[in-house]
Amino acid sequence: MLNGPLLVTERLILRPPAAEDFDAFAAMCTEEDTMRFIGGTCPRPQAWRMWCTLAGAWHIRGFSMFSVIERDSGEWVGRLGPWEPDGWPGLEIGYGVRARFAGKGYAFEGVVAACDFAVDFLKWPSLLHTIDPANTRSQALAKRLGATNSGPTRLPEPFHEAPVEAWTQSAEQWRINRKGFAA
């Protein structure tokens, strides 16, 4: 049962998390390179609680990260999209893809659709990506999206000691930058 929007791109389907996605999410949560900058690896029971948080936010907030599905194979690629837990420093578009899908442009393709959704449907006035200063791959993606480094920010507990910088752009800047991307 679909409990939210369905976004379709050239190679991806973005939809709210579903029960059948959990095994792939739990596997992603064990990937050290993938999880290094997004909370760290965790065992399956902790991944379950995180998964339920993502799914539950759709009901509580009306938005959350999407499951990203590869259209050709039906495989779960990762999770990305609008994110603003209590105490978060702003309206974020977060992203993370499984190691085997990294480097294929899926994060960019999915985040473009998620930013469009946030600006056009949710009417967000600005977009944020919170990025560890050592996460050069994520910084490169934020730059490609047109975001700029606005300096250090802070996440709420239990992530309050993690170094993060706010990569931002206004909705208007997004609309201008978006014109340079293929539809």
Side-chain angles (χ1 to χ4, degrees):
M1 182 171 77
L2 188 64
N3 59 355
L6 179 74
L7 308 179
V8 179
T9 69
E10 181 181 340
R11 301 178 297 161
L12 305 171
I13 296 170
L14 281 65
R15 59 162 170 72
E20 63 266 21
D21 305 333
F22 176 66
D23 286 339
F25 176 75
M28 183 178 100
C29 287
T30 67
E31 297 175 355
E32 221 169 288
D33 284 346
T34 301
M35 299 301 294
R36 176 177 298 122
F37 299 114
I38 55 175
T41 60
C42 67
R44 189 176 174 91
Q46 186 177 347
W48 174 253
R49 290 188 293 279
M50 291 168 44
W51 190 245
C52 289
T53 297
L54 291 174
W58 277 103
H59 298 286
I60 302 300
R61 302 286 304 205
F63 61 85
S64 183
M65 291 198 193
F66 294 96
S67 273
V68 180
I69 310 300
E70 186 178 49
R71 286 178 62 181
D72 286 347
S73 69
E75 287 191 66
W76 191 85
V77 171
R79 85 324 173 244
L80 59 78
W83 188 238
E84 191 197 23
D86 187 59
W88 216 249
L91 299 165
E92 178 165 23
I93 300 294
Y95 40 89
V97 300
R98 293 166 61 193
R100 61 187 298 252
F101 294 103
K104 296 183 177 186
Y106 286 155
F108 177 77
E109 186 175 328
V111 171
V112 167
C115 288
D116 285 344
F117 174 76
V119 168
D120 296 337
F121 182 77
L122 298 175
K123 305 298 182 197
W124 283 9
S126 61
L127 301 170
L128 164 74
H129 313 288
T130 57
I131 303 174
D132 186 297
N135 190 346
T136 56
R137 291 183 73 181
S138 187
Q139 291 170 16
L141 177 55
K143 287 177 189 174
R144 186 173 174 201
L145 294 163
T148 57
N149 187 337
S150 299
T153 190
R154 239 185 139 89
L155 302 178
E157 290 186 17
F159 307 108
H160 61 288
E161 293 183 6
V164 291
E165 295 171 331
W167 287 74
T168 61
Q169 63 183 307
S170 69
E172 184 57 32
Q173 288 170 315
W174 169 250
R175 288 183 187 100
I176 292 166
N177 293 333
R178 177 65 171 94
K179 290 178 183 173
F181 307 147

